[in-house]
Amino acid sequence: MNIAVAADHGGFPLKQSVLDLVRQLGHQASDLGAHQFDAQDDYPDFARYVAQAIQHGQAQRGIIICGSGVGASVAANKLAGVRAAVCHDVYSARQGVEHDDMNVLCLGARVVGDQLAMELVKAFLAAEFSGEQRHRRRLEKVIGMERAK
Ligand code: RB5
């Protein structure tokens, strides 16, 4: 898969390890910034870069890293077709894809350690949407809510 990865200053320390892991797992990784540490940069910009890569079909999944993961998920979910969530446990990182078709994983570099972050990325990328009828029905309701905005 093509995976878009981005981080603000809060997530910057974790970004290169995530990029390296994504590539080790056999995926293509696009580094959408920040390309250098800038304490004044803003997470919505990086969330938008990843969300737009999903919208334009340049990436099938995205990973956004900020300090907590919260701002990244709030911002990314403003763009249609993006289903982003903060997942700091492996169960949610996997089940969010299997049940909810989550396509963007948000991580908080100030919350999770490097090793847990790597496990979260592995679980997220290994998971597939189940396609089960009840999950499709719920996803259609979510998409309907998005269309009604
Ligand atoms: C930046 O200091 C921090 O607020 C941001 O990375 C993120 O945690 C927001 O949710």
Side-chain angles (χ1 to χ4, degrees):
M1 288 188 286
N2 291 322
I3 313 298
V5 179
D8 75 345
H9 60 281
F12 191 79
L14 196 54
K15 180 168 66 81
Q16 191 58 52
S17 306
V18 168
L19 285 163
D20 292 344
L21 176 61
V22 168
R23 291 172 180 142
Q24 278 167 26
L25 293 171
H27 302 285
Q28 285 76 50
S30 306
D31 181 354
L32 302 185
H35 299 294
Q36 58 192 23
F37 182 84
D38 175 0
Q40 301 304 316
D41 68 15
D42 299 324
Y43 67 81
D45 296 324
F46 301 101
R48 181 166 50 85
Y49 300 151
V50 170
Q52 288 177 333
I54 299 281
Q55 282 190 319
H56 298 156
Q58 294 153 345
Q60 289 71 54
R61 303 256 179 107
I63 300 171
I64 314 170
I65 317 161
C66 67
S68 65
V70 173
S73 64
V74 168
N77 280 313
K78 298 297 180 190
L79 277 76
V82 172
R83 291 176 292 279
V86 186
C87 296
H88 286 163
D89 66 276
V90 170
Y91 176 81
S92 302
R94 185 186 70 247
Q95 194 215 248
V97 177
E98 291 176 346
H99 289 203
D100 312 323
D101 206 17
M102 172 175 72
N103 52 15
V104 175
L105 174 68
C106 300
L107 298 175
R110 296 174 185 159
V111 182
V112 292
D114 284 19
Q115 286 308 311
L116 176 54
M118 298 304 109
E119 295 306 316
L120 296 166
V121 169
K122 283 186 207 169
F124 171 62
L125 294 181
E128 298 286 345
F129 181 55
S130 76
E132 289 176 29
Q133 199 273 336
R134 70 186 195 282
H135 297 151
R136 286 204 313 272
R137 182 181 72 239
R138 293 162 190 161
L139 179 59
E140 283 306 317
K141 289 185 179 184
V142 171
I143 292 169
M145 291 160 71
E146 188 174 75
R147 288 199 186 115
K149 275 205 292 190

